[in-house]
Amino acid sequence: MFTLPETRFDFAGDEYIYAEISREMGLASNFKALAITNELRKRNIPGLIDICPANASYLVRFNPEIISSQDLLDYLIEIDITKSNVAELNLSTRIVEIPTWYDDPITRSYSERFASRHQHPGLSDFDFVMKCNGFTDKAAFIQAHSSTPYFITMVGYIPGTSWEFPLGTTNEEILQAPKYLSPRSKTPNRAIGLGGAFNAIYPVDSPGSYQLIGMSAVPVYDKERRYPELCDYVLAKPGDIWRHRPIDEAEYWQIVADVEKGTYTYRTRDVEFSPKEYLLRGKAYIALLMEGF
């Protein structure tokens, strides 16, 4: 019923194989990339050093003194064939709540600071995103953004950066915005940005070009590893489903204080995600999956 893209494999130097499932971002391609890379980890192939899934591709690094490039390619082709059936792509994953302070003064101050690099210097990033998506009412925009769950398609760029793609939306419903004309030299830690159809939470203070729409009250990166939900220092795992819960200023600062004291507990729920059911039922399947969360 669903035809998944055929993967193209390329050797990259002596230690890498790059697998391109699609040149365009699509959830079906991402589901396949995650299923393949998860299977690779399970097999524990000798000589395989690193596995890096991306939006519609993945990269593997290997030790050519332990496994030849051709032998590894044979493994990849075999796995690729088994994961070309959408019914074989099921994921054991989790839903994660991100308490979000929308249209906050912190990100507004960055809008003002870097207005000269923006398409519309007279608007804050938040107001610009509203305008791009046809909203005139702030509450309606926040409802649209926070009621949409987001699928973590990949983690990277800056360690811990989460790439969130909307689930259960039609193309007409997807919230989108262009990036800055010229990147900011600084973006605050935990700022939530929108670029194209993707959300990203900045894990540390860093340059950036996504339009800033709010602040996460919880960290997505913690070098001190104080929280069990942050595996290998980062919160995001490819395949996670994140939901932004709107909060006000008082709750934001209370959560920040709890985080600093080490008493905050992330709200999560383990779920089984079926790409086949999602591709068949879309929004109805996501509503069932998210029920009660």
Side-chain angles (χ1 to χ4, degrees), residues 12-70:
D14 296 330
E15 298 182 356
Y16 297 89
I17 295 178
Y18 173 66
E20 182 182 79
I21 298 169
S22 173
R23 292 194 174 186
E24 296 181 1
M25 170 57 201
L27 281 173
S29 298
N30 187 250
F31 295 153
K32 183 175 179 178
L34 293 183
I36 290 171
T37 51
N38 286 342
E39 179 64 23
L40 276 172
R41 291 189 186 93
K42 290 178 185 177
R43 294 198 181 192
N44 198 26
I45 299 170
L48 193 54
I49 298 172
D50 203 3
I51 304 165
C52 301
N55 286 328
S57 61
Y58 61 93
L59 181 74
V60 296
R61 183 185 180 193
F62 62 97
N63 184 341
E65 296 182 0
I66 298 176
I67 185 171
S68 73
S69 58
Q70 189 57 54

Side-chain angles (χ1 to χ4, degrees), residues 215-287:
M215 291 289 293
S216 166
V218 298
V220 296
Y221 168 79
D222 178 27
K223 65 181 180 180
E224 297 177 8
R225 304 183 76 168
R226 292 173 292 177
Y227 305 100
E229 296 87 357
L230 276 69
C231 179
D232 295 328
Y233 304 98
V234 302
L235 177 63
K237 300 176 184 177
D240 275 354
I241 298 170
W242 285 12
R243 167 163 272 176
H244 294 266
R245 179 174 66 85
I247 59 174
D248 59 17
E249 181 176 1
E251 186 174 2
Y252 173 84
W253 291 114
Q254 181 60 58
I255 293 174
V256 168
D258 291 342
V259 166
E260 289 302 312
K261 290 185 292 185
T263 59
Y264 182 79
T265 300
Y266 288 78
R267 185 182 176 215
T268 67
R269 184 171 76 192
D270 293 334
V271 293
E272 295 296 317
F273 182 80
S274 168
K276 179 180 178 181
E277 287 299 309
Y278 175 73
L279 294 173
L280 278 171
R281 300 169 58 196
K283 186 176 292 188
Y285 174 69
I286 294 301

Side-chain angles (χ1 to χ4, degrees), residues 66-117:
I66 298 176
I67 185 171
S68 73
S69 58
Q70 189 57 54
D71 285 346
L72 179 56
L73 180 59
D74 289 342
Y75 272 118
L76 297 180
I77 292 172
E78 176 211 337
I79 295 171
D80 188 86
I81 291 170
T82 65
K83 301 303 180 183
S84 291
N85 179 353
V86 72
E88 299 295 324
L89 307 186
N90 290 2
L91 295 168
S92 294
T93 187
R94 61 183 182 163
I95 303 171
V96 180
E97 179 184 272
I98 306 296
T100 300
W101 183 16
Y102 287 95
D103 193 25
D104 62 284
I106 301 169
T107 54
R108 275 191 173 265
S109 70
Y110 277 79
S111 296
E112 295 171 3
R113 178 177 172 183
F114 294 101
S116 63
R117 306 185 184 200

Side-chain angles (χ1 to χ4, degrees), residues 98-103 126 129-130 133 135 137-150 164-167 169 173-177 191-201 211-216 242-246 290:
I98 306 296
T100 300
W101 183 16
Y102 287 95
D103 193 25
F126 184 90
V129 171
M130 282 183 54
N133 291 279
F135 285 89
D137 180 71
K138 175 179 172 178
F141 173 81
I142 292 174
Q143 170 62 23
H145 187 271
S146 62
S147 63
T148 300
Y150 295 87
E164 308 174 46
F165 194 79
L167 283 171
T169 54
E173 294 171 326
I174 292 177
L175 300 174
Q176 302 187 57
I192 301 167
L194 182 66
F198 283 92
N199 289 280
I201 300 178
Q211 306 289 342
L212 304 181
I213 61 172
M215 291 289 293
S216 166
W242 285 12
R243 167 163 272 176
H244 294 266
R245 179 174 66 85
M290 302 295 295

